[in-house]
Amino acid sequence: MPKVVDPRIRRRELAEAVWRVVRRDGLEHASVRNVAREARLSMGSLRHYFASQSELMTFALRMVIDGIEQRIAAVPSDGDLRQRAARVLAELLPLDDQRRAENEVWLAFTARAMTDPELRALRDEGYDMLRAGCRGLVAGLIGPGRDPEREAARLHALLDGLAVHAAMRPDVNTPDALHAVIADHLAELRAPRTTDPTTPSWTSLY
């Protein structure tokens, strides 16, 4: 009797095969043939679950977003706001093998999204979700005189920068170092703004 395979599980396995190929060989090598070989399936079997390479790539990127959303949803909503913000932000940074894989896949797909409309739409969705999340986190944390939208943009940029730096130099940007940067930034948000945000601080040197 033939083995019955849950299509949802098989699709996830194929997306995970995409991730492995992308991380090991680069996105340009994530062809249907190479992904099928990585998953130990025939190309015909792969096409039973994904009609095209674009559909497969989109699903692989969607899985990154879904995984992050599920982890954030599981973060307890009670307790100190700053501690909760730190736990939420930790789910967005490459602090373990799973999150490192997500980060590397996301960064690889960002370049492809420049020329792929479906990936671009998904990239923009992820961007907008992250900005909205940053906006929600800073709303309860910022001190007097701080602009919520500007602080959301600052936090968003900090997260993106840390993710890129961690992918480039994980030996320098360790989990402890990333945690420390986030903790310092969240603590600084509490302080009132004492300078004109439109005036660069380095002007005082001249």
Side-chain angles (χ1 to χ4, degrees):
M1 208 176 155
K3 181 180 178 181
V4 177
V5 178
D6 186 330
R8 294 171 299 179
I9 294 176
R10 181 66 83 197
R11 285 167 68 86
R12 285 189 61 86
E13 290 173 347
L14 287 166
E16 289 167 356
V18 172
W19 287 19
R20 292 194 299 274
V21 173
V22 168
R23 296 182 73 200
R24 185 184 63 238
D25 305 321
L27 183 57
E28 66 275 15
H29 292 286
S31 64
V32 170
R33 182 184 301 278
N34 288 341
V35 172
R37 182 184 300 118
E38 179 70 23
R40 298 182 178 179
L41 292 175
S42 67
M43 290 178 61
S45 295
L46 186 152
R47 292 191 185 282
H48 178 73
Y49 300 100
F50 295 100
S52 66
Q53 184 190 32
S54 178
E55 184 181 334
L56 173 60
M57 297 297 109
T58 300
F59 184 84
L61 188 57
R62 167 61 70 185
M63 206 164 78
V64 174
I65 296 175
D66 289 347
I68 294 171
E69 281 190 299
Q70 290 165 11
R71 293 198 305 272
I72 290 177
V75 174
S77 58
D78 55 350
D80 180 78
L81 287 177
R82 193 166 74 187
Q83 291 180 357
R84 182 179 186 278
R87 289 195 294 267
V88 168
L89 295 174
E91 298 301 342
L92 297 159
L93 293 172
L95 301 176
D96 57 21
D97 289 342
Q98 176 67 24
R99 284 173 283 184
R100 275 190 290 273
E102 291 172 348
N103 186 50
E104 291 172 13
V105 169
W106 182 265
L107 292 175
F109 274 92
T110 297
R112 172 71 70 88
M114 299 293 290
T115 57
D116 186 314
E118 291 186 24
L119 290 179
R120 183 163 60 248
L122 199 51
R123 178 206 62 189
D124 291 349
E125 178 187 333
Y127 179 97
D128 292 342
M129 288 173 59
L130 180 54
R131 176 58 64 89
C134 290
R135 192 178 293 115
L137 288 176
V138 303
L141 296 176
I142 56 176
R146 292 182 180 271
D147 177 75
E149 194 60 37
R150 178 169 302 175
E151 295 304 336
R154 273 213 310 154
L155 179 57
H156 191 170
L158 177 64
L159 288 170
D160 280 348
L162 291 177
V164 172
H165 287 195
M168 293 173 60
R169 288 294 304 273
D171 57 323
V172 175
N173 299 282
T174 62
D176 285 344
L178 298 182
H179 276 301
V181 171
I182 289 297
D184 286 347
H185 183 77
L186 292 178
E188 190 264 342
L189 283 177
R190 292 278 195 184
R193 182 171 287 284
T194 57
T195 59
D196 180 355
T198 64
T199 304
S201 60
W202 48 259
T203 56
S204 61
L205 299 176
Y206 295 88

